[in-house]
């Protein structure tokens, strides 16, 4: 523990007084204690009381190579000693930034050869949004300002990113959103909204909705479409059938920039560096990345852009400049961490490991569907979600205020397992290094926790 941190009670109290958490629920925070984590190794976390947990959430979809690696600590320390910071603006650079951008260009599909670095996923999305505006302006089609996204999408919480996002829970009264030029299509959640259609019919309807929206706005006014290959924070929503590929084809046919937000799906979570082309057969114009890019060791975001876009904005003779930049664009220490992270993924064959362990994880989790309150288990490789329902037949949800996902997560905690509750769901994205014993432990623990919660709910009413 940090020598000044004090007891667990001190940590909790100090936090309550001074630390405004992401997505803090103020009322809950007054009565619920936070869980102070003191250290971690691999997929394990240890709290300030010395209790150990398997972190099935992988931090926040991000601790891909696992925690506590000396090699990462050494690479970071070495870079700090050599050069902790230098100005990345206009006519200066540092060595790790250039090496990383070259490496990302080689890992990304198609002609995505140009990289803008920022500090996380939200900023990577924000940069994509602004890059597209600039691109449409530069090529003489500034009226292509409209952006299409989807309900249940999550793209971060900067102003543009949250406006592109479509999670109903993120539309909180009191905030403003860009709503005159950003449009949301239906969620592709087949389990929840399939309504008796086959998956193919559901996909057909979603594709028709996209076509109708482009026709309504006019293809000459639609500049971009943003999509996660698998929706993460919206509840690990798998794209139905050939839906993504068909949307991409419509984008190609209508000159609409396709942005694939791979902040979660990139860097091994689906057994590939990037999932867009390898898994879903689409070659986007822009990929956004963060999280697994450094495995959470340091903050970093990347917006990886095609030659097609870059060649337009960078065309000589226009006196143009890209008025987007952060002090920490291309931060040398973050870039050194990303380079070492990529080296470890390559050397240890972690993509191959995920291709082996991922299907086992999915298969074992699906055994939970015999439980009466488990409506569905979905996901791919190391992205997964367990859906809780009060009535399996009708798919009726538990009342939202019951927070059933949180009840199950709370029951997992004393059993040494961290899962992420999201209203009716438990979401998981363990580190790529997870092994079979850890998978078995996750599934067995979840089963016990769900049985306990179901029994408690039964006796309560
Ligand atoms: N895009 C996606 C798909 C994400 O899941 C997230 C975060 O969960 C973000 C963007 C935002 O990333 P960050 O929290 O690093 O800003």
């Amino acid at each position: 523990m940090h020598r000044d941190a004090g007891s667990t009670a001190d940590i909790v109290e100090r936090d309550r007084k001074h630390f405004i958490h992401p997505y803090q629920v103020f009322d809950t925070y007054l009565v619920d204690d936070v869980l102070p984590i003191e250290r971690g190794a691999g997929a394990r976390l240890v709290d300030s009381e010395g209790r150990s947990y398997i972190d099935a959430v992988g931090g926040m979809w991000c601790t891909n190579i696992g925690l506590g690696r000396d090699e990462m600590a050494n690479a970071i320390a070495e870079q700090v000693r050599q050069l902790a910071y230098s100005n990345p603006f206009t006519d200066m650079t540092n060595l790790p930034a250039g090496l990383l951008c070259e490496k990302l260009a080689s890992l990304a599909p198609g002609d995505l050869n140009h990289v803008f670095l920022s500090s996380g996923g939200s900023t990577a999305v924000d940069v994509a949004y602004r890059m597209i505006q600039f691109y449409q302006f530069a090529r003489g089609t500034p009226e292509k300002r409209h952006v299409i996204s989807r309900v249940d999408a999550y793209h971060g919480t900067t102003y543009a990113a949250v406006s592109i996002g479509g999670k109903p829970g993120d539309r909180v009264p009191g905030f403003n959103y860009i709503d005159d030029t950003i449009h949301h299509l239906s969620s592709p959640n087949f389990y929840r909204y399939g309504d008796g259609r086959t998956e193919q019919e559901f996909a057909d309807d979603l594709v028709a909705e996209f076509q109708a929206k482009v026709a309504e706005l006019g293809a000459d006014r639609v500049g971009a479409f943003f999509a996660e290959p698998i929706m993460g924070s919206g509840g690990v929503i798998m794209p139905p059938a050939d839906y993504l590929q068909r949307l991409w084809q419509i984008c190609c046919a209508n000159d609409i920039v396709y942005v694939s937000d791979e902040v979660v799906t990139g860097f091994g979570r689906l057994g590939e560096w990037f999932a867009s082309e390898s898994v879903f057969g689409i070659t986007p114009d822009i990929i956004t990345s963060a999280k697994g890019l450094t495995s959470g060791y340091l903050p970093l975001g990347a917006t990886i852009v095609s030659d097609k876009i870059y060649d337009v904005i960078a065309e000589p003779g226009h006196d143009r400049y890209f008025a987007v930049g952060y002090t920490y664009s291309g931060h040398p220490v973050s870039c050194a961490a990303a380079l070492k992270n990529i080296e470890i993924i390559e050397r240890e064959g972690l993509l191959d490991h995920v291709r082996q362990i991922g299907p086992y994880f999915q298969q074992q989790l699906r055994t939970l569907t015999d439980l009466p309150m488990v409506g569905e288990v979905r996901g791919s490789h190391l992205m997964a979600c367990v859906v809780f329902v009060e009535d399996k037949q009708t798919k009726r949800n538990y009342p939202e205020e019951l927070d059933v996902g949180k009840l199950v997560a709370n029951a997992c905690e004393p059993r040494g397992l961290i899962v992420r509750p999201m209203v009716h769901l438990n979401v998981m994205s363990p580190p790529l290094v997870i092994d079979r014993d850890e998978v078995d432990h996750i599934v067995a623990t979840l089963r016990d926790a769900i049985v306990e919660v179901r029994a408690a709910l039964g006796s309560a009413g």
Side-chain angles (χ1 to χ4, degrees):
M1 188 181 300
H2 191 279
R3 67 191 152 78
D4 296 329
S7 69
T8 295
D10 294 337
I11 299 168
V12 169
E13 201 39 38
R14 180 183 312 119
D15 236 65
R16 192 170 270 139
K17 279 191 185 146
H18 301 294
F19 183 6
I20 307 173
H21 291 249
Y23 278 77
Q24 185 156 320
V25 183
F26 295 104
D27 289 351
T28 312
Y29 203 62
L30 287 176
V31 288
D32 271 1
D33 287 354
V34 289
L35 176 65
I37 300 301
E38 192 187 305
R39 56 182 192 274
R44 287 229 162 242
L45 298 175
V46 177
D47 72 15
S48 54
E49 297 290 322
R51 288 177 298 234
S52 167
Y53 308 83
I54 287 191
D55 179 15
V57 192
M60 199 58 157
W61 323 88
C62 64
T63 57
N64 290 18
I65 59 167
L67 298 167
R69 287 190 183 248
D70 282 341
E71 212 182 337
M72 288 297 288
N74 293 339
I76 289 166
E78 202 177 305
Q79 185 58 47
V80 169
R81 285 197 194 93
Q82 189 162 330
L83 177 73
Y85 181 80
S86 75
N87 168 20
F89 279 60
T90 59
D91 59 355
M92 285 182 74
T93 191
N94 65 73
L95 309 192
L99 287 172
L100 178 63
C101 292
E102 180 186 53
K103 184 70 188 174
L104 291 177
S106 77
L107 299 177
D111 66 347
L112 275 68
N113 289 320
H114 309 273
V115 185
F116 189 98
L117 295 168
S118 58
S119 51
S122 303
T123 48
V125 168
D126 220 276
V127 169
Y129 179 79
R130 298 200 60 203
M131 177 90 69
I132 291 160
Q133 267 185 358
F134 196 57
Y135 165 68
Q136 301 295 5
F137 162 78
R139 65 201 281 253
T141 53
E143 64 285 357
K144 266 173 116 47
R145 301 167 56 233
H146 290 258
V147 166
I148 299 180
S149 176
R150 300 169 300 164
V151 170
D152 285 342
Y154 184 77
H155 296 290
T157 64
T158 58
Y159 187 45
V162 77
S163 302
I164 298 166
K167 282 179 69 179
D170 287 347
R171 297 277 151 159
V172 174
F175 286 103
N176 296 321
Y177 303 88
I178 305 167
D179 49 19
D180 55 343
T181 48
I182 298 181
H183 312 267
H184 294 89
L185 304 172
S186 304
S187 166
N189 184 340
F190 179 58
Y191 175 77
R192 189 46 63 201
Y193 305 116
D195 291 332
R197 288 169 286 182
T198 63
E199 191 178 319
Q200 189 63 58
E201 287 164 350
F202 182 58
D204 290 348
D205 288 347
L206 293 171
V207 171
E209 184 193 18
F210 186 61
Q211 275 168 323
K213 180 54 80 178
V214 173
E216 175 201 323
L217 295 167
D220 55 343
R221 299 200 314 140
V222 181
F225 173 62
F226 281 71
E228 305 150 83
I230 296 175
M231 285 177 162
S233 300
V236 187
I237 299 170
M238 300 294 295
D242 49 4
Y243 150 88
L244 275 185
Q245 236 183 14
R246 290 164 73 192
L247 294 197
W248 172 61
Q249 281 156 1
I250 295 169
C251 287
C252 295
N254 290 280
D255 190 20
I256 296 168
V257 174
Y258 190 113
V259 183
S260 194
D261 185 348
E262 294 231 37
V263 164
V264 169
T265 52
F267 288 90
R269 193 139 295 288
L270 302 180
E272 305 288 343
W273 291 110
F274 295 107
S276 301
E277 194 174 72
S278 322
V279 181
F280 297 103
I282 57 176
T283 312
D285 301 294
I286 297 180
I287 286 180
T288 48
S289 177
K291 296 193 188 269
L293 174 57
T294 59
S295 287
Y297 277 80
L298 283 175
L300 188 64
T303 308
I304 314 172
V305 182
S306 66
D307 286 344
K308 184 176 118 187
I309 292 178
Y310 184 80
D311 290 349
V312 169
I313 62 172
E315 190 184 40
H318 292 275
D319 256 351
R320 263 185 223 128
Y321 62 97
F322 190 54
V324 177
Y326 305 108
T327 301
Y328 300 133
S329 291
H331 193 285
V333 187
S334 295
C335 293
L339 284 165
K340 183 55 77 177
N341 176 58
I342 293 169
E343 183 193 315
I344 289 171
I345 295 175
E346 279 173 339
R347 196 180 60 230
E348 296 187 0
L350 290 180
L351 302 185
D352 253 350
H353 175 68
V354 174
R355 289 183 207 128
Q356 313 280 325
I357 196 82
Y360 180 72
F361 182 54
Q362 295 294 329
Q363 179 199 5
Q364 292 306 303
L365 274 177
R366 276 165 179 71
T367 62
L368 298 173
T369 52
D370 66 345
L371 296 171
M373 64 184 266
V374 175
E376 185 185 40
V377 174
R378 61 180 176 240
S380 176
H381 294 79
L382 296 184
M383 279 180 88
C385 162
V386 181
V387 181
F388 304 116
V389 286
E390 189 165 15
D391 183 325
K392 238 168 147 153
Q393 219 60 44
T394 62
K395 301 183 184 171
R396 188 180 68 243
N397 282 328
Y398 283 99
E400 202 158 315
E401 53 284 7
L402 192 67
D403 216 351
V404 65
K406 178 88 172 128
L407 295 180
V408 176
N410 287 349
C412 287
E413 210 176 281
R415 294 176 162 88
L417 175 67
I418 307 281
V419 293
R420 181 168 171 214
M422 280 180 7
V423 196
H424 311 292
L425 316 174
N426 276 180
V427 167
M428 280 159 279
S429 53
L432 313 187
V433 291
I434 196 158
D435 62 26
R436 280 190 170 229
D437 287 347
E438 288 165 330
V439 167
D440 294 343
H441 177 76
I442 291 172
V443 176
T445 307
L446 259 175
R447 175 173 288 278
D448 290 350
I450 295 167
V451 167
E452 180 185 286
V453 167
R454 166 81 181 182
L457 291 174
S459 62

